[in-house]
Amino acid sequence: MSLLLVRQTTTFILLCALCCCVSVKYEPNWESIDSRPLPNWYDESKIGIFIHWGVFSVPSFSSEWFWELWKGQKIPGVVDFMNRNYRPDFTYADFAPQFTTEFYNADEWADILAASGAKYVVLVTKHHEGYTNWPSKVSWNWNSMDVGPKRDLVGELAVAVRKKEGIKFGTYHSLFEWYNPLYLSDKANGFKTQDFVREKTLPELYELVNNYKSDVIWSDGDWETTDVYWNATEFLAWLYNESPVKDSVVVNDRWGKNIRCKHGGFLNCDDRYNPGVLQKRKWENSMTIDKYSWGYRRRARLDDFLTMEDITSVIASTVSCGGNLLINIGPTHDGKIVPIFEERLRQMGEWLGVNGEAIYASKPWSHQNDTLASGVWYTSQKSTNGTSVYAIVLDWPDNNVLKLGAPVASHASMVSLLGYKGSLTLTPGTGSGVTVTIPPISVNEFKVRWAWVFKFTNLQN
Ligand SMILES: *[C@@H]1O[C@H](CO)[C@@H](O)[C@H](O)[C@H]1NC(C)=O
Ligand SMILES: *[C@@H]1O[C@H](CO)[C@@H](O)[C@H](O)[C@H]1NC(C)=O
Ligand SMILES: *[C@@H]1O[C@H](CO)[C@@H](O)[C@H](O)[C@H]1NC(C)=O
């Protein structure tokens, strides 16, 4: 009797679990699309690398330059440069054969990307000028197999990245193409026709997902019209219900000019979005190591690149407020991640190697920044031992004394400094606040640079 009951209960539970999984079917509307829980891997990852690479990497002249040339606009600096260096009838398309990628070694890239501590990569597969970095069937003579590299750039990186443990592969894709005649004719019809979406945008998205199993679809180029023209919810319902990545994929919010910062998976809002306060929904700060450009820029000076202090600061402020950081590099037309980007990425990995406990899989704490000290950002982790609170301190404390306003401590509270084996002294304030006294530390026993993480346990808040 009792055995039967157990068996029946087990069957019932099994059936239930099955029902739940089978019955979740997303409808092509935002309420249903938004109801899908974001797969956990995304929030836990915290750090991704964005890669802007394409025909624009050939002129590598300035950030927005290649659009202007294509549009025939007369930007004075660009016109002078072109007149001095190219024949008069040279067009943007003429750069494509020079997108040679002869030094592109995807395994070498994957080594650098993995060494950065990032947990996902987002590669530009097609930017607004429509050139696809994979042999798309719907981008005839304007793709990386037909002109330029004669290689499947996306496929090579997807394979190389997936050889690494714990790092996901994502694809950036521009919905629109500024100069595609099909797009322009739909636009001239007030977006009542969808020829471009039918012939180009959707087939490309299906190719990317089916061929490369994108873990992230980072959509862009949405802003001239609404999600209705793009058939965004129809595509996302397919992606979430039927695609080969339906359980693991995450998407952003750039699916129409009325959608950004409101609907989708995680919210990107604007480029370099970093609100500095806790957000209700999962969001991502996409930004660049070269302050002035997404693509490679031959004229960049050392000063134009973020320092490691800048990078640890943006990691701290982003992650504390519930965001992920998607940090961008621009490889060269011949396929190299130049040493300045490689160094920043490897150094970021060095910092995360010691301090990752405060970052990966962390949760925002009750305070994001300190109430007293500036340049201090908090994260937290729950474990069976209770909650640990991490104060990421961007400037080494004056006289080795750190005074914080937010933590509430008792005599049972403890503090340590990540990467340092010795002990520190914690003095609870009256009411809230703590004072941490750091002993004199030799540079030989403690090599952490750029930002420091103090870990508190047994706090009262
Ligand atoms: C967009 O979705 C609507 C509604 O399902 C459908 O009738 C239309 O054919 C789709 N358009 C494209 C280009 O797929
Ligand atoms: C903490 O952040 C808030 C909101 O951005 C800001 O107003 C405040 O000045 C910051 N506190 C300190 C001590 O910097
Ligand atoms: C819990 O605390 C013990 C003793 O300090 C430590 O060894 C262990 O790693 C901690 N567990 C977690 C999940 O933090």
Side-chain angles (χ1 to χ4, degrees):
M1 179 68 196
S2 70
L3 193 68
L4 190 66
L5 192 65
V6 168
R7 206 184 281 157
Q8 278 175 345
T9 315
T10 318
T11 316
F12 179 72
I13 290 169
L14 273 174
L15 273 175
C16 254
L18 219 62
C19 300
C20 302
C21 301
V22 170
S23 70
V24 179
K25 181 130 170 67
Y26 296 96
E27 304 292 330
N29 62 64
W30 288 113
E31 198 190 349
S32 178
I33 297 295
D34 287 350
S35 73
R36 176 179 179 258
L38 207 56
N40 284 338
W41 73 261
Y42 179 77
D43 176 47
E44 290 170 2
S45 295
K46 305 296 183 189
I47 315 281
I49 309 287
F50 211 172
I51 305 176
H52 271 68
W53 197 37
V55 171
F56 48 87
S57 311
V58 174
S60 53
F61 181 78
S62 80
S63 166
E64 305 302 329
W65 172 69
F66 66 101
W67 319 130
E68 308 305 339
L69 178 67
W70 187 291
K71 278 192 293 188
Q73 289 190 7
K74 304 274 183 269
I75 303 294
V78 175
V79 170
D80 290 349
F81 173 79
M82 289 304 293
N83 287 347
R84 267 184 279 117
N85 297 292
Y86 296 91
R87 25 168 245 271
D89 60 343
F90 194 92
T91 68
Y92 180 79
D94 294 321
F95 282 123
Q98 296 175 40
F99 184 35
T100 48
T101 72
E102 67 268 41
F103 301 130
Y104 175 44
N105 177 336
D107 288 316
E108 206 173 82
W109 283 27
D111 284 342
I112 298 171
L113 298 168
S116 77
K119 301 295 181 195
Y120 59 106
V121 171
V122 177
L123 175 68
V124 165
T125 62
K126 184 195 81 169
H127 219 297
H128 308 325
E129 92 280 46
Y131 180 92
T132 61
N133 281 338
W134 81 99
S136 171
K137 292 197 175 77
V138 294
S139 191
W140 182 77
N141 213 27
W142 194 229
N143 69 72
S144 65
M145 195 61 83
D146 289 346
V147 56
K150 308 280 165 63
R151 296 165 73 170
D152 178 0
L153 306 178
V154 177
E156 289 181 36
L157 193 63
V159 168
V161 163
R162 291 209 167 100
K163 284 188 215 154
K164 300 284 175 187
E165 194 78 17
I167 177 161
K168 305 265 186 186
F169 181 74
T171 49
Y172 165 107
H173 175 265
S174 174
L175 295 172
F176 83 162
E177 290 167 31
W178 276 358
Y179 316 108
N180 188 304
L182 280 180
Y183 179 72
L184 294 177
S185 84
D186 285 348
K187 188 174 167 178
N189 293 332
F191 295 111
K192 288 190 189 69
T193 51
Q194 285 183 303
D195 294 343
F196 176 73
V197 179
R198 183 174 304 106
E199 306 291 326
K200 257 304 216 145
T201 313
L202 290 176
E204 283 171 354
L205 285 168
Y206 290 122
E207 278 182 11
L208 286 172
V209 172
N210 288 324
N211 297 350
Y212 308 109
K213 314 280 182 292
S214 316
D215 295 310
V216 184
I217 297 184
W218 210 102
S219 182
D220 197 20
D222 59 314
W223 53 79
E224 289 194 339
T225 184
T226 67
D227 58 313
V228 175
Y229 172 74
W230 299 118
N231 265 21
T233 53
E234 285 81 2
F235 171 72
L236 292 172
W238 171 81
L239 188 70
Y240 290 175
N241 291 328
E242 294 168 48
S243 79
V245 289
K246 65 188 170 68
D247 298 321
S248 57
V249 71
V250 298
V251 305
N252 67 348
D253 58 346
R254 296 189 182 182
W255 297 99
K257 66 177 178 186
N258 52 332
I259 301 305
R260 184 185 283 233
C261 224
K262 291 201 193 97
H263 299 292
F266 59 88
L267 305 183
N268 269 128
C269 303
D270 302 311
D271 292 350
R272 303 187 166 79
Y273 181 66
N274 190 10
V277 291
L278 185 62
Q279 302 294 296
K280 286 202 186 73
R281 274 181 69 165
K282 185 66 199 179
W283 58 282
E284 182 185 73
N285 175 5
S286 64
M287 42 71 75
T288 56
I289 294 180
D290 174 351
K291 290 178 224 170
Y292 303 110
S293 185
W294 295 87
Y296 180 66
R297 211 161 47 94
R298 284 178 288 155
R299 295 205 301 176
R301 297 163 310 171
L302 189 58
D303 268 1
D304 297 341
F305 295 90
L306 296 189
T307 62
M308 273 311 297
E309 284 79 1
D310 296 329
I311 290 172
T312 47
S313 166
V314 75
I315 291 174
S317 57
T318 300
V319 173
S320 296
C321 297
N324 274 20
L325 183 69
L326 185 65
I327 189 166
N328 180 76
I329 59 168
T332 59
H333 78 280
D334 47 15
K336 292 300 288 181
I337 295 173
V338 295
I340 187 74
F341 287 126
E342 178 176 353
E343 184 187 53
R344 292 295 182 272
L345 295 188
R346 290 190 186 277
Q347 288 178 328
M348 186 168 82
E350 187 188 319
W351 189 83
L352 287 165
V354 177
N355 299 296
E357 177 183 337
I359 305 296
Y360 304 122
S362 67
K363 298 285 178 212
W365 189 45
S366 56
H367 292 74
Q368 276 61 63
N369 59 346
D370 195 47
T371 49
L372 193 66
S374 64
V376 176
W377 295 92
Y378 292 102
T379 63
S380 70
Q381 297 271 11
K382 277 202 174 63
S383 78
T384 44
N385 292 352
T387 300
S388 301
V389 174
Y390 300 87
I392 307 170
V393 174
L394 303 180
D395 301 295
W396 185 261
D398 286 342
N399 307 313
N400 286 2
V401 176
L402 176 67
K403 285 181 193 291
L404 299 174
V408 179
S410 70
H411 288 283
S413 305
M414 291 188 296
V415 66
S416 61
L417 172 57
L418 298 190
Y420 175 63
K421 289 197 178 66
S423 55
L424 317 180
T425 311
L426 177 74
T427 314
T430 46
S432 68
V434 294
T435 301
V436 177
T437 311
I438 309 157
I441 301 179
S442 145
V443 290
N444 297 326
E445 51 176 330
F446 181 65
K447 295 186 194 291
V448 178
R449 294 182 282 170
W450 311 305
W452 300 272
V453 178
F454 294 81
K455 174 181 181 179
F456 294 92
T457 48
N458 289 327
L459 286 177
Q460 298 195 308
N461 62 336

